[in-house]
Amino acid sequence: MKELVEYMVRSLVDKPEEVRISEVEKEQSVIYEVRVAPEDMGKIIGRQGRIAKAMRTIVKAASVKSGKKAVVEILE
Amino acid sequence: MKRSVEVSGKTLEEVLERASRYFDVPRERLNYEIVSENKGFLGILVPKVVKVRVWVEEGGVEEEGEEREEKRPSLGATNLFRESPREVPTWQDVSDLHDVIYRFLHGLFERMGVDVRVTIDDDEEAVTCRIEGKDAGVLIGRKGETLEALELLLRTFLGKRGLIGKDLLLDIADYRKRREESLKKLAERIAQKVVKEKKRFKLEPMNARERRIIHTVLKDHPQVVTYSVGTEPSRRVVVELKNAKEGKGVPSEVHREERMKKPTQTTYRRPRRQGGKKKSIDQ
């Protein structure tokens, strides 16, 4: 799942080398914390959060198979 | 401006040899990027072909790449994230666009752990990607929301690289086609009902594309008009009798606004970085 988040984020930013994803395990869920270069923030959030929402939807679809709830958080 | 060509050949060596003659520069000054590689199938059936994009940096001295691809061997489609294909027109030929889309989606589905097939078609107006297979349902999602998400992601990915000038359509297991059919039927049914009961009728919330299907079907209907109310994501189509009540008639206005409500693209372009991650022959 982490690979999926990383893949999507990298495909959208100008500085893929500055993408950092960390995984935080919780009891019922896994949180993926996304960090990108400040100038890339807008690109992964999108107008009215559309891109971020799309990524979350895709992660949610993928997590149906893994069983554990996956949460994507974008950090500054 | 950089000059660049795409060359195909049996081996990388052979291709670079020819490119070096073509550009008339020593091979050390060539930069290249493997566009596609056919490893050969059963040795005989499909010949081995490697397609390479080659260019010469006008300044002659190649910048030292600060990031080499071996840094992330786990991601197969490294090529996709390499330097901007945008300034290289040859990248945009059709087979390459297909190749880029195919690799992007394939990489995505692989990481999602879903098992599907992708076929890509295009005509003058649109590029259509069809996805089928046993996990297609997972990729459609509730009311097609995952499908919409995938399409947006693909569109953004291609748009960022300046790869697509025409419409892009993603369909999974004919979901859109089936949905369009049922929306058309729904529109006809509702129109009949409105005429019969002389009442206006509000449909359930739909996205812009779906609302548009309703508007289009009933556009020339002699007795009803359509318009939309509310804001996304709960914007809904209303169907009512034509000339229901004079003076109350904002409908045509609203309808026009609806049609013009094409999203305004926020342009966000920053100058592209030069150099950086290009492969050069003397690596």
Side-chain angles (χ1 to χ4, degrees):
Chain A
M1 191 64 75
K2 188 184 170 189
E3 282 220 321
L4 172 64
V5 177
E6 186 173 12
Y7 182 80
M8 291 192 290
V9 173
R10 274 177 180 271
S11 72
L12 299 171
V13 297
D14 279 343
K15 294 186 168 173
E17 69 279 6
E18 285 185 33
V19 172
R20 298 283 176 273
I21 316 279
S22 46
E23 207 170 340
V24 185
E25 287 265 357
K26 294 275 159 90
E27 242 171 75
Q28 314 262 322
S29 58
V30 190
I31 301 172
Y32 298 92
E33 297 178 338
V34 179
R35 288 182 179 80
V36 298
E39 61 270 39
D40 277 332
M41 282 297 279
K43 294 194 189 67
I44 61 166
I45 294 173
R47 192 159 35 90
Q48 292 178 329
R50 280 170 81 216
I51 307 275
K53 185 167 168 255
M55 288 197 288
R56 290 192 174 108
T57 305
I58 291 167
V59 166
K60 201 169 77 191
S63 69
V64 170
K65 291 204 139 192
S66 71
K68 217 169 182 186
K69 198 177 158 205
V71 181
V72 178
E73 274 177 15
I74 296 166
L75 302 182
E76 283 196 57
Chain B
M1 260 320 258
K2 286 195 308 197
R3 291 187 294 163
S4 99
V5 287
E6 273 190 21
V7 198
S8 299
K10 279 196 188 119
T11 64
L12 189 57
E13 286 309 300
E14 184 204 308
V15 170
L16 292 176
E17 182 73 44
R18 276 199 280 143
S20 146
R21 279 201 303 270
Y22 174 82
F23 282 116
D24 196 23
V25 296
R27 282 178 47 174
E28 289 70 40
R29 282 198 48 209
L30 294 176
N31 292 299
Y32 68 92
E33 180 171 34
I34 295 174
V35 175
S36 66
E37 202 171 356
N38 191 334
K39 297 248 166 62
F41 182 66
L42 299 178
I44 352 161
L45 292 181
V46 182
K48 245 172 140 174
V49 173
V50 55
K51 194 170 176 190
V52 184
R53 188 155 56 86
V54 187
W55 68 94
V56 180
E57 219 55 84
E58 237 34 288
V61 188
E62 170 71 359
E63 291 173 59
E64 192 55 23
E66 79 257 17
E67 164 141 310
R68 295 280 150 80
E69 57 181 333
E70 57 266 29
K71 259 188 133 177
R72 26 191 300 273
S74 60
L75 294 180
T78 333
N79 265 343
L80 294 184
F81 303 129
R82 211 118 31 74
E83 251 335 287
S84 63
R86 203 192 316 179
E87 58 215 49
V88 185
T90 50
W91 182 260
Q92 288 202 36
D93 78 29
V94 170
S95 60
D96 282 339
L97 179 62
H98 289 194
D99 199 40
V100 171
I101 294 175
Y102 185 82
R103 281 189 293 166
F104 177 71
L105 289 178
H106 190 78
L108 193 64
F109 297 151
E110 196 181 300
R111 286 163 185 81
M112 289 179 79
V114 292
D115 182 11
V116 288
R117 286 184 312 280
V118 179
T119 45
I120 303 165
D121 256 325
D122 68 318
D123 55 34
E124 277 142 43
E125 278 155 31
V127 181
T128 310
C129 311
R130 289 201 173 76
I131 296 159
E132 260 151 304
K134 77 175 169 69
D135 290 328
V138 177
L139 296 182
I140 296 172
R142 234 182 94 250
K143 289 185 168 182
E145 65 172 2
T146 311
L147 167 58
E148 299 290 345
L150 289 167
E151 191 184 86
L152 176 65
L153 206 68
L154 176 60
R155 193 193 303 278
T156 312
F157 171 80
L158 295 173
K160 179 177 150 51
R161 285 157 182 78
L163 282 176
I164 192 152
K166 49 189 172 184
D167 214 8
L168 174 79
L169 197 73
L170 194 67
D171 201 357
I172 306 178
D174 282 338
Y175 174 83
R176 283 208 201 281
K177 219 163 117 192
R178 284 181 286 137
R179 178 82 177 141
E180 191 178 334
E181 291 307 313
S182 73
L183 284 174
K184 282 179 179 163
K185 283 187 193 141
L186 175 76
E188 299 289 358
R189 218 164 50 231
I190 296 299
Q192 278 175 16
K193 200 168 160 171
V194 167
V195 171
K196 202 168 139 204
E197 297 178 14
K198 301 200 185 334
K199 263 196 243 167
R200 89 172 65 164
F201 203 91
K202 212 185 227 181
L203 301 179
E204 62 175 29
M206 289 172 195
N207 66 33
R209 200 194 304 237
E210 295 182 336
R211 292 196 305 272
R212 172 167 229 160
I213 293 172
I214 307 279
H215 290 312
T216 310
V217 171
L218 299 179
K219 178 170 51 87
D220 299 321
H221 194 288
Q223 287 156 291
V224 301
V225 288
T226 61
Y227 56 94
S228 301
V229 292
T231 50
E232 303 268 12
S234 39
R235 199 161 163 81
R236 314 165 81 171
V237 177
V238 178
V239 183
E240 71 174 23
L241 277 182
K242 218 171 235 181
N243 314 321
K245 287 165 198 140
E246 288 301 346
K248 209 177 170 251
V250 264
S252 61
E253 278 309 303
V254 188
H255 191 162
R256 188 163 69 216
E257 182 218 340
E258 160 72 30
R259 272 180 297 160
M260 290 176 3
K261 224 176 104 264
K262 278 244 157 181
T264 39
Q265 192 77 43
T266 332
T267 32
Y268 233 110
R269 297 261 151 85
R270 293 188 309 116
R272 298 220 138 238
R273 290 186 313 149
Q274 291 290 323
K277 285 171 293 171
K278 270 160 219 146
K279 228 191 230 173
S280 99
I281 186 119
D282 51 354
Q283 236 173 68

